[in-house]
Amino acid sequence: MPTTTPRTNQSPYTAQVHTWDTPSEASGDERQRLDFWDQAASLLEWDRPWQTTHHWTPPNPQTRRGPVIRWFEEGKLNAAVNCVDRHVAAGRGSKIALHFEGEPGDRADISYAELKDLVSQAANALQRLGIGHGDRVLIYLPVLVETIVITLACARIGAVHQLVFGGFSAEALRFRVSDTGAKLLVTSDGQYRRGAAVPVKENADAAVTGLTVDEGGSVEHVLVLRRTGSDISWTTDDLNGDGLGRDVWWHDVVDTASTDHEPQFFDAENPLFIMYTSGTTGKPKGLVHSTGGYLTGALYSYLRLFAHPDPDQRDHDVHWCTADLAWVTAHTYEMYGPLAAGATQVIYEGVPNVPHPGRHFEIIQRHRVTSYYTAPTLVRSLMGWFPSGIPSEYDLSSIRLGGTVGEAVNPEAADWLRREVGRDTRDAQGRPALPLVDTWWQSESGSTVLSPLPELREAGLFKPGSVARPLPGWSVEVVDEFGNPSGTDIQGNIVITRPGPSMARGVWGNPERFFTSYWEKYAHAEDSRGWFLAGDGARRDAGGDIWILGRIDDAINVSGHLLSTIEIESALVTHPDVVEAGVAPCYDATTGHAAVAFTVLSAAARERIEGDAAAEEELIQSLRAHVGSVIGPVAKPRTVIPVPEVPKTRSGKIMRRLLTQLHDGDTLGDTTSLQNEPCVPKIKEICEQRSTAPKKEVVS
């Protein structure tokens, strides 16, 4: 690839990224694309400028290896310096970086100067615990200021961090400890969940106890934050001879450390973090993200999608991404992107309906949130909690922008978010006009790939439910099995043909899996340059905009008709009795597959059918008929099963394959990566009681 001379660094506070000249996806001009990413990278502060913008070695089917992807070679930088130190040095140390809201009601406002001191203390503490460049650190904490502090401290010293959702089981944590060969585990005594203090230190103990070196057992210390005051066990064994014992308190080694710390600078391709994907089959994959490329994608896309287009107004921005910090969305749009931009943001520890369903709206009102980025599943929950709309007592007038992520938002949820959360934003005709960025991207891409632009809000141009087109510097296609473009409104596979710099570099410890999972199917494409198979079905409409139709393996083939699960789910949630739905392809002896709908009902509907079999059957038939009228008779679910919850990943994606396994009585795959794992046995019990799965023919 060509060698370039980087542009002079630009300030993220004043950069007018909304007006940049951007490469046309259709032009295929690679020089133009690389010039664009040079400009985006110049938003960062580099200790040493890069020389080669991009290097690409195609995937190799013979060696079964994915492509070699490198960006900004020979450049050196530090992610924590870009997120904290540079803002203090620019005289912005008094600006609030984090508005923290704890579930019990505790709050804290942390300035950039305070954050710099906290990160420096944590970096000194990590080094005292023997952590250095390249060591892996597992962070098993909820959404706290300390979670961001220890994450940035890892980046500051070049350690590779892996955040684990605080609600995951000991088994899920143990796998990640083993797979990464982590040297340090950071956890808390307990966590607040739904109004209760829940001990979690015992999960950390179970994850590391008895793990041999051959099994990846290399943890030397467990760093424990006191959050709830829960009683915990304590291990004083000295595992590395430093005299500290295995378990150490945060307040003993972090809070007492010096606030002076000299940062190191690392190659742009230095690994920054590992992000595990979820799945119901096979082990989770640990995706490796680099420093320079990832940070470039995170900062540019944050500015383009969420920052005020007028730099003079940007200091009034208050961003809130509602994701748990362990999810990639939070890495990019709750940590690295906003902090690299020097923005103010909200972080919230709890769930949205504790102590009441309006908790999010209280927080928006208190902190004057301007951009609200959340999951479609939460929007649908809010719709169920507030069937008559959000009460007028909440002042939501600060909201300038809405966003969704996790899976495609159904048009009803998109319209509700614009109408209710954005109720103060109307066009000249009085119609909802809140800009809504319905973003499509993945753990693998690291930052947003497809999204409507925030300025696109006019009726007729904005299409609720469509992820529109690629952001600058990315190129995608919707293709058939052979790599040929799918026709208008015909479902195909979405592939990334030109990834941006935030793309994952591989799977931790398993380069072959990187190839087989993402590159093998289209390794031959474009004269063997290779395309990335995202795993989602999609279609382009007549205007060229893209609609995501759910995971490829979630499509349902009923008597030769290929149906999208997300389209059936979208039809179901337009019924007033349905809050949320998960549709799964289940076995059918006649049609091959049939759609089975698992529905979360409104409170009124649950009360109506409680103990009344006739009323329940009437509702089920009503829902089946409703789908038939919205989509067509072929899309009617074979049956509808009311459930308390549908299983979801931390990103809010419904685990439809798991629903298939539960319904058909098949062996379950990995469930440890779910955000609501306790719902699995409940659904299993409901399926067994109803016994709606036909017996499979046994071939002798």
Side-chain angles (χ1 to χ4, degrees):
M1 288 290 178
T3 298
T4 63
T5 301
R7 291 173 172 80
T8 304
N9 282 5
Q10 302 182 67
S11 166
Y13 325 126
T14 59
Q16 296 182 321
V17 299
H18 296 71
T19 62
W20 280 5
D21 290 335
T22 54
S24 166
E25 184 193 13
S27 73
D29 187 332
E30 186 69 357
R31 176 69 273 155
Q32 191 182 70
R33 190 174 80 97
L34 296 184
D35 284 347
F36 167 78
W37 284 120
D38 277 337
Q39 188 175 14
S42 71
L43 293 166
L44 298 172
E45 184 173 286
W46 295 79
D47 181 64
R48 186 176 76 191
W50 67 97
Q51 298 303 314
T52 303
T53 304
H54 181 40
H55 173 86
W56 177 274
T57 300
N60 190 325
Q62 283 70 46
T63 61
R64 301 183 68 73
R65 294 294 186 267
V68 177
I69 308 170
R70 302 182 69 83
W71 285 85
F72 313 120
E73 289 185 276
E74 301 174 55
K76 283 183 175 289
L77 75 168
N78 184 294
V81 167
N82 273 280
C83 290
V84 184
D85 300 49
R86 72 181 302 197
H87 308 313
V88 178
R92 301 169 65 85
S94 62
K95 183 177 175 61
I96 296 299
L98 304 171
H99 290 301
F100 167 72
E101 293 264 351
E103 188 179 275
D106 53 324
R107 301 174 198 154
D109 293 335
I110 307 297
S111 70
Y112 273 96
E114 291 169 324
L115 185 59
K116 179 178 181 292
D117 286 347
L118 293 171
V119 172
S120 295
Q121 284 183 305
N124 281 317
L126 287 175
Q127 291 176 322
R128 184 187 175 196
L129 294 173
I131 303 301
H133 178 215
D135 289 333
R136 275 79 65 202
V137 176
L138 253 69
I139 301 169
Y140 184 53
L141 292 171
V143 180
L144 302 171
V145 171
E146 291 86 351
T147 312
I148 293 179
V149 165
I150 198 69
T151 299
L152 292 175
C154 289
R156 191 177 186 87
I157 66 171
V160 182
H161 59 75
Q162 205 288 294
L163 274 71
V164 183
F165 170 52
F168 275 3
S169 66
E171 179 186 349
L173 182 59
R174 188 179 182 89
F175 167 76
R176 287 156 175 78
V177 169
S178 173
D179 197 53
T180 60
K183 199 171 177 180
L184 173 68
L185 173 60
V186 186
T187 189
S188 57
D189 58 344
Q191 299 177 11
Y192 290 105
R193 290 188 202 148
R194 301 187 183 279
V198 180
V200 295
K201 169 64 160 50
E202 61 189 39
N203 281 352
D205 292 337
V208 301
T209 301
L211 200 60
T212 68
V213 173
D214 290 342
E215 296 170 325
S218 53
V219 168
E220 296 177 355
H221 291 292
V222 177
L223 177 59
V224 186
L225 175 72
R226 186 177 290 284
R227 173 61 181 150
T228 62
S230 303
D231 291 331
I232 60 174
S233 60
W234 200 257
T235 299
T236 58
D237 296 346
D238 187 353
L239 300 183
N240 70 349
D242 63 5
L244 290 174
R246 191 202 74 175
D247 293 351
V248 290
W249 282 112
W250 180 287
H251 54 262
D252 285 339
V253 297
V254 178
D255 291 345
T256 60
S258 170
T259 57
D260 292 327
H261 183 270
E262 190 68 27
Q264 301 169 258
F265 296 91
F266 306 99
D267 290 338
E269 283 298 320
N270 190 69
L272 180 62
F273 65 88
I274 300 170
M275 174 61 58
Y276 281 89
T277 61
S278 302
T280 57
T281 57
K283 295 178 180 179
K285 299 182 291 292
L287 297 158
V288 181
H289 283 280
S290 69
T291 302
Y294 169 77
L295 204 58
T296 296
L299 175 54
Y300 168 75
S301 57
Y302 167 78
L303 290 172
R304 185 62 182 87
L305 293 175
F306 299 106
H308 200 291
D310 180 357
D312 291 339
Q313 301 298 317
R314 208 165 282 166
D315 271 346
H316 301 297
D317 286 348
V318 179
H319 179 64
W320 186 13
C321 169
T322 68
D324 186 271
L325 288 171
W327 184 31
V328 72
T329 291
H331 280 54
T332 306
Y333 300 116
E334 200 170 345
M335 285 194 288
Y336 286 111
L339 291 176
T344 297
Q345 60 179 326
V346 168
I347 61 171
Y348 172 50
E349 177 186 25
V351 294
N353 58 344
V354 171
H356 57 80
R359 185 74 186 267
H360 273 211
F361 307 131
E362 280 185 347
I363 293 172
I364 290 172
Q365 176 176 288
R366 177 159 44 248
H367 297 295
R368 306 300 294 162
V369 170
T370 56
S371 50
Y372 181 62
Y373 189 41
T374 192
T377 187
L378 174 59
V379 177
R380 291 190 288 267
S381 294
L382 292 170
M383 292 169 67
W385 298 335
F386 296 98
S388 300
I390 300 172
S392 58
E393 65 193 69
Y394 297 112
D395 180 2
L396 307 182
S397 60
S398 62
I399 291 290
R400 180 181 56 79
L401 176 75
T404 56
V405 63
E407 61 181 356
V409 64
N410 53 300
E412 293 72 24
D415 286 337
W416 189 92
L417 195 155
R418 297 183 91 207
R419 182 179 70 251
E420 295 296 328
V421 177
R423 58 193 176 197
D424 293 303
T425 305
R426 302 275 171 169
D427 64 13
Q429 286 72 44
R431 297 170 298 197
L434 182 76
L436 180 62
V437 289
D438 177 13
T439 61
W440 177 86
W441 58 294
Q442 301 176 307
S443 297
E444 293 83 354
S445 70
S447 65
T448 299
V449 179
L450 298 166
S451 175
L453 296 176
E455 57 267 26
L456 184 66
R457 65 177 79 182
E458 294 84 0
L461 292 178
F462 177 77
K463 304 173 183 177
S466 168
V467 292
R469 304 184 186 193
L471 289 189
W474 294 82
S475 294
V476 306
E477 294 287 351
V478 179
V479 299
D480 63 18
E481 292 295 303
F482 306 102
N484 302 310
S486 299
T488 300
D489 285 330
I490 296 177
Q491 178 168 336
N493 299 332
I494 190 166
V495 295
I496 299 175
T497 62
R498 290 294 185 278
S502 60
M503 196 78 181
R505 302 305 193 248
V507 171
W508 180 263
N510 197 338
E512 182 175 356
R513 196 172 182 197
F514 187 54
F515 173 76
T516 57
S517 297
Y518 304 113
W519 303 95
E520 184 172 30
K521 185 175 181 65
Y522 294 107
H524 65 279
E526 203 174 331
D527 296 325
S528 297
R529 185 188 196 279
W531 294 342
F532 175 89
L533 175 65
D536 278 338
R539 63 176 175 85
R540 280 192 190 266
D541 64 19
D545 290 315
I546 294 175
W547 299 72
I548 302 296
L549 302 176
R551 301 298 293 173
I552 293 167
D553 46 15
D554 289 330
I556 304 177
N557 194 327
V558 180
S559 298
H561 299 277
L562 192 64
L563 304 174
S564 164
T565 54
I566 201 167
E567 287 182 318
I568 301 174
E569 291 163 2
S570 293
L572 283 163
V573 297
T574 63
H575 193 285
D577 288 331
V578 177
V579 172
E580 189 165 31
V583 174
C586 296
Y587 172 75
D588 189 280
T590 303
T591 62
H593 284 103
V596 174
F598 295 79
T599 57
V600 180
L601 301 176
S602 67
R606 290 198 307 272
E607 183 177 346
R608 192 169 72 247
I609 68 173
E610 181 69 29
D612 189 335
E616 180 175 315
E617 181 60 25
E618 181 181 351
L619 174 60
I620 288 172
Q621 295 309 319
S622 171
L623 295 177
R624 294 184 68 244
H626 179 70
V627 173
S629 66
V630 173
I631 302 176
V634 71
K636 281 186 182 180
R638 185 178 67 199
T639 189
V640 176
I641 302 176
V643 292
E645 295 180 86
V646 288
K648 291 176 234 153
T649 68
R650 282 307 306 157
S651 64
K653 292 180 181 177
I654 298 169
M655 298 300 281
R656 301 176 184 89
R657 286 174 290 165
L658 183 57
L659 289 173
T660 299
Q661 293 163 350
L662 288 166
H663 181 269
D664 289 356
D666 296 333
T667 302
L668 300 185
D670 170 50
T671 63
T672 59
S673 295
L674 298 176
Q675 63 162 284
N676 56 347
E677 189 180 6
C679 77
V680 173
K682 297 176 185 176
I683 298 173
K684 185 174 187 289
E685 181 181 357
I686 291 170
C687 290
E688 289 173 347
Q689 288 174 347
R690 291 175 177 265
S691 191
T692 57
K695 295 188 182 300
K696 295 182 180 180
E697 297 179 4
V698 178
V699 180
S700 57

